[in-house]
Amino acid sequence: MGIKIEGKREKLLLYSISGLIVAAILLTVYAINGIYPFGSDSVVYDDMVQNSVPVFYAFWDVLHGNVSAFFNWNTGAGVSIFHTVTEFFSPFSPLFFLICPRESITEWMSYFVMLKLILMSLTMMFFIDMNFKIKPIWKVVMSLLYPFSGYVLQLYTNIEWLDIAIFFPLMAAALIHLFKKGKI
């Protein structure tokens, strides 16, 4: 019984370390570059400015009853919000919309990116822990390489794509589990 508790504590510590290191790295980068919450700059640029942030404003308005979900004069050509279903059906968006005030959406993208990168490291830690028998330090290192990969650092401006990166290790772990059990 004591061994299982010790194992659970070790896993909790590994997951915590991985998530905290991601947060520490991002907060350090934010502080050095004067990015919100340490300055007035933002992580919002490129596609975030043109697509993601305006869609988040539109979703916020719809969820708070300010505009229709099917036609909005404030979006490009009055299109409905459902043309960008990736943001609408993200499991993380409702939390963002309920906590974040509308006037702070651009600033809060710093936190949203951080949340998604932390979740990426945690799901990768789960995958690594489930499939590889390696030293704990290497599990942490490998789980950190995933959220700081070139894909994420270049394409995080399409924030909805990070959801796929969060769930990919879970889908891979499920597929491996099915293969091992022989019940596809």
Side-chain angles (χ1 to χ4, degrees), residues 145-167:
L145 291 174
Y146 186 61
F148 293 112
S149 67
Y151 173 84
V152 174
L153 297 179
Q154 286 189 333
L155 299 174
Y156 82 89
T157 58
N158 293 309
I159 196 146
E160 66 276 6
W161 295 357
L162 296 184
D163 290 349
I164 302 302
I166 291 168
F167 289 109

Side-chain angles (χ1 to χ4, degrees), residues 74-102:
N74 296 321
T75 59
V79 296
S80 78
I81 63 169
F82 297 108
H83 80 282
T84 54
V85 295
T86 51
E87 281 112 349
F88 187 73
F89 291 111
S90 170
F92 311 107
S93 293
L95 174 70
F96 182 78
F97 294 125
L98 294 173
I99 293 174
C100 177
R102 186 183 193 282

Side-chain angles (χ1 to χ4, degrees), residues 5-106:
I5 292 172
E6 187 73 16
K8 288 180 183 178
R9 286 183 186 160
E10 180 182 302
K11 284 185 182 188
L12 180 61
L13 182 64
L14 282 177
Y15 284 76
S16 299
I17 288 171
S18 179
L20 289 172
I21 291 174
V22 170
I25 290 171
L26 280 175
L27 288 172
T28 302
V29 169
Y30 291 172
I32 290 170
N33 292 301
I35 296 172
Y36 182 84
F38 300 104
S40 59
D41 285 343
S42 176
V43 296
V44 175
Y45 80 100
D46 199 32
D47 283 345
M48 268 189 176
V49 173
Q50 300 165 4
N51 183 31
S52 298
V53 171
V55 168
F56 273 80
Y57 278 111
F59 283 152
W60 195 99
D61 290 341
V62 168
L63 290 175
H64 290 85
N66 298 337
V67 296
S68 168
F70 301 105
F71 188 83
N72 182 351
W73 286 106
N74 296 321
T75 59
V79 296
S80 78
I81 63 169
F82 297 108
H83 80 282
T84 54
V85 295
T86 51
E87 281 112 349
F88 187 73
F89 291 111
S90 170
F92 311 107
S93 293
L95 174 70
F96 182 78
F97 294 125
L98 294 173
I99 293 174
C100 177
R102 186 183 193 282
E103 60 276 359
S104 300
I105 287 176
T106 301

Side-chain angles (χ1 to χ4, degrees), residues 75-135:
T75 59
V79 296
S80 78
I81 63 169
F82 297 108
H83 80 282
T84 54
V85 295
T86 51
E87 281 112 349
F88 187 73
F89 291 111
S90 170
F92 311 107
S93 293
L95 174 70
F96 182 78
F97 294 125
L98 294 173
I99 293 174
C100 177
R102 186 183 193 282
E103 60 276 359
S104 300
I105 287 176
T106 301
E107 291 82 12
W108 277 55
M109 282 294 168
S110 299
Y111 296 129
F112 206 41
V113 168
M114 184 183 308
L115 171 68
K116 289 192 176 197
L117 266 62
I118 289 170
L119 291 172
M120 287 172 62
S121 76
L122 297 178
T123 58
M124 183 51 77
M125 176 64 81
F126 174 79
F127 175 79
I128 293 166
D129 193 41
M130 190 175 164
N131 293 296
F132 299 102
K133 305 296 181 210
I134 57 177
K135 292 182 180 181

